[in-house]
Amino acid sequence: SHNKADVIKQYGFRDTGRVAPVPYDNGGTVQYEDLMIFKTKIRGVRVLGLMNDTVFPRLRGRWSGDPSGYHGADNFKLRFARALSLGALLALREANIHPDVIQTNDWPSAYLKAYLEGRDRIAPALKDLKRDPHFRRTRVTSIFHNLHRDYQGWVYISNDWKTKHLTDEQTR
């Protein structure tokens, strides 16, 4: 089933009562989306789950006929990828987990490595995540299951947007 309640029940997820606050630039002001952190154990492995109905509105993919994080407006794709990538790091820190290795899967979570390396431009406090004791020894590996262009999360930014919002240094 693709129903969130069914997934929570099937895998035994429990709400931790904690959140991972992911910052977004909302036209020059910082806005936060709180991702609820759920946890479970599957075959002895601790698993965290993130939920937020605004950022993760559906569990289904494109084949169900519903839009998802993989399809839709570019700004939605970017918010989805930011929530998944940065949200995972913030959830690990909130859960006091010190991972040795993080494996990302496909483009929505591939931004995690950039955030870990301090490439966040919205929240200055997140620029030093690699120095955080939770991530000092963490290495990242990525897997891409399909290199077809429909699965790469391509986002096209117009030259007008680049000129208006990015400095010359940021476009290099």
Side-chain angles (χ1 to χ4, degrees), residues 82 85-90 92-93 97-104 109-120 125-141:
R82 180 172 177 81
S85 296
L86 184 56
L89 290 170
L90 298 176
L92 288 165
R93 186 170 69 178
I97 296 173
H98 297 74
D100 291 319
V101 176
I102 298 174
Q103 177 186 319
T104 66
S109 59
Y111 292 97
L112 183 143
K113 183 168 175 47
Y115 292 130
L116 185 62
E117 292 175 352
R119 296 184 193 171
D120 189 75
L126 299 177
K127 286 195 178 282
D128 290 327
L129 282 177
K130 187 65 178 165
R131 292 188 181 114
D132 185 297
H134 293 89
F135 306 116
R136 281 193 184 130
R137 296 184 356 230
T138 303
R139 301 289 182 258
V140 177
T141 182

Side-chain angles (χ1 to χ4, degrees), residues 1-54:
S1 170
H2 295 314
N3 178 300
K4 286 183 245 186
D6 291 343
V7 171
I8 289 170
K9 183 178 177 183
Q10 178 181 351
Y11 293 103
F13 277 102
R14 294 185 331 270
D15 188 344
T16 65
R18 295 179 172 175
V19 297
V22 176
Y24 293 93
D25 182 340
N26 188 17
T29 60
V30 177
Q31 163 191 331
Y32 289 83
E33 285 285 352
D34 288 339
L35 308 182
M36 298 179 299
I37 303 171
F38 285 72
K39 69 178 181 177
T40 191
K41 266 196 173 173
I42 300 173
R43 294 187 208 134
V45 176
R46 183 170 29 172
V47 177
L48 298 180
L50 300 174
M51 294 208 182
N52 176 299
D53 288 337
T54 302

Side-chain angles (χ1 to χ4, degrees), residues 124-161:
L126 299 177
K127 286 195 178 282
D128 290 327
L129 282 177
K130 187 65 178 165
R131 292 188 181 114
D132 185 297
H134 293 89
F135 306 116
R136 281 193 184 130
R137 296 184 356 230
T138 303
R139 301 289 182 258
V140 177
T141 182
S142 298
I143 293 175
F144 291 87
H145 79 279
N146 191 331
L147 292 178
H148 187 274
R149 65 179 173 80
D150 286 348
Y151 295 95
Q152 292 181 8
W154 290 8
V155 175
Y156 299 95
I157 298 174
S158 71
N159 285 329
D160 291 343
W161 189 92

